[in-house]
Amino acid sequence: MTIPCLIVGSGPAGYTAAIYASRAGLQPVLLEGLQPGGQLTTTTEVDNFPGYPEGVDGNQLMADLRQQAERFGTDIRSGLAVRADLSHSPYRIWMDDDSELECQSLIIATGASAKYLGLPDEQKYRGQGVSACATCDGFFYRGRTVAVVGGGDTACEEASYLAGLAKKVYMIVRKPYLRATKAMQDRVKGMENIEILFEHNTLGLYGEDGVEGAHVVHRMGEADERRYDLPIDGFFLAIGHHPNSELFAEWIKTDSQGYIVTENGSPRTGVPGVFAAGDVADPTYRQGIVAAGAGAKAAIEAERYLAALRQA
Ligand code: NDP
């Protein structure tokens, strides 16, 4: 059976698209992907999503959105889309269990994923001291010493979260300043067990059965550098994200960073009936509420596209 509206991704964009599409009678199928609920499930308190005056736990917010999508009949399926053929309609998507789906319209809401530095040791110690999600893994570092790499809002958020659990948190920041907003900067600077290592880079990690430390370099100008070992138990990456657009990049336009390029601020891609919403197409705002709004727009566009198809 050809699915009228297939939604790939289960963050705020995907679920909001599903709410709108199911209420419009498009019988949407939503593929949850690798991380059901998306990036917000890796956050603790979300204070800036409208409608929650006291803030809301990220997992709870996503559970609420999922429930709302289900209430209107969205068919939510687990599994990962691994291949796509958007050369002609109906469009085809292959899943990781080799099953194949056909759809008339497609909403790409695959979000973005954490970036790594690219050090071989990150792979070596993945799950053994290396993490890109403090709220997922911070629990294991209670009373211990950890480092967070990055100087943006995410890094500050992760560092302050970890500071509530760990004995000591180092922030490894490559510039002589933080890029984070002032409020976040003030927060980390105000926490006694956070130490910011400015102009520092990580060269590698060491340890027998897990991370026991990082080889770091402190560069103070061209000729002045000091290399030393920083004993830590956990190494957290918080250096930004890259859009999960690879699957579709053969068929739709992406920019130099891989973000899907849409038409004039709409969710329309260059392929008729294929729409993109949320962080996968948003290099600028990358906020849950913005993604949710984009998901609503994508579903409205899908509805119009399918109506035009029926009339043709
Ligand atoms: P950002 O791109 O803002 O920051 C990335 C940080 O990582 C920068 O300090 C950057 O350094 C550093 N970095 C990047 N690559 C490397 C590398 N190879 N080695 C060492 N350091 C590196 O990403 P964020 O994820 O922090 O934030 C993304 C967006 O989401 C922002 O707009 C942010 O404001 C927003 N956000 C908002 C939150 C909130 O409002 N609660 C929470 C989290 C994010 P450099 O400065 O040198 O480039």
Side-chain angles (χ1 to χ4, degrees):
M1 186 202 117
T2 303
I3 297 163
C5 178
L6 180 65
I7 300 164
V8 188
S10 57
Y15 283 142
T16 306
I19 292 165
Y20 274 70
S22 48
R23 293 189 81 242
L26 307 188
Q27 299 165 283
V29 170
L30 181 144
L31 306 177
E32 281 187 314
L34 260 189
Q35 189 175 40
Q39 292 175 76
L40 281 178
T41 59
T42 66
T43 320
T44 39
E45 197 73 357
V46 179
D47 273 336
N48 52 10
F49 203 94
Y52 293 94
E54 303 301 325
V56 61
D57 175 84
N59 280 292
Q60 186 59 50
L61 173 61
M62 297 320 298
D64 287 348
L65 286 174
R66 188 183 201 279
Q67 203 183 335
Q68 199 172 350
E70 276 182 317
R71 182 179 144 215
F72 297 112
T74 302
D75 177 355
I76 298 175
R77 301 183 190 174
S78 56
L80 188 65
V82 291
R83 193 154 72 86
D85 180 355
L86 309 186
S87 58
H88 57 84
S89 174
Y91 304 116
R92 289 187 295 165
I93 300 282
W94 286 267
M95 302 297 292
D96 52 354
D97 63 1
D98 283 339
S99 60
E100 186 184 328
L101 301 173
E102 252 186 28
C103 62
Q104 285 179 295
S105 70
L106 175 68
I107 296 177
I108 301 168
T110 44
S113 299
K115 279 186 192 165
Y116 285 77
L117 293 170
L119 301 171
D121 288 341
E122 286 170 321
Q123 295 305 323
K124 182 175 167 190
Y125 294 106
R126 211 150 171 179
Q128 288 185 290
V130 172
S131 168
C133 175
T135 47
C136 313
D137 301 321
F139 176 79
F140 302 111
Y141 298 93
R142 278 187 302 179
R144 306 180 78 181
T145 299
V146 297
V148 176
V149 185
D153 280 326
T154 303
C156 291
E157 205 169 69
E158 302 275 87
S160 46
Y161 175 75
L162 287 166
L165 296 164
K167 180 173 68 185
K168 171 95 185 178
V169 179
Y170 293 103
M171 288 185 74
I172 301 178
V173 180
R174 65 180 175 182
K175 294 236 172 87
Y177 55 85
L178 295 173
R179 184 200 284 217
T181 47
K182 187 171 180 307
M184 291 304 281
Q185 292 196 28
D186 291 346
R187 189 152 138 197
V188 293
K189 285 176 181 166
M191 298 184 91
E192 274 184 2
N193 59 343
I194 297 181
E195 182 177 341
I196 307 175
L197 305 174
F198 288 111
E199 297 177 295
H200 274 67
N201 278 288
T202 311
L203 303 172
L205 301 167
Y206 61 89
E208 288 281 319
D209 294 318
V211 171
E212 291 174 16
H215 304 299
V216 295
V217 55
H218 182 192
R219 291 203 177 92
M220 299 147 284
E222 294 260 310
D224 191 4
E225 69 167 47
R226 182 169 79 93
R227 292 173 183 236
Y228 66 100
D229 288 346
L230 182 71
I232 49 169
D233 305 298
F235 184 74
F236 287 83
L237 283 308
I239 59 168
H241 293 80
H242 69 83
N244 297 320
S245 61
E246 294 88 349
L247 189 59
F248 310 101
E250 185 184 344
W251 313 103
I252 53 182
K253 196 172 162 193
T254 53
D255 71 9
S256 59
Q257 290 177 278
Y259 287 95
I260 293 176
V261 177
T262 55
E263 292 174 356
N264 305 325
S266 81
R268 289 189 295 274
T269 68
V271 181
V274 178
F275 308 98
D279 284 15
V280 72
D282 180 3
T284 313
Y285 300 107
R286 294 180 288 180
Q287 296 296 302
I289 189 61
V290 179
K297 286 196 218 174
I300 292 168
E301 290 282 349
E303 182 190 356
R304 290 177 184 166
Y305 172 78
L306 292 170
L309 270 192
R310 278 197 299 274
Q311 280 168 9

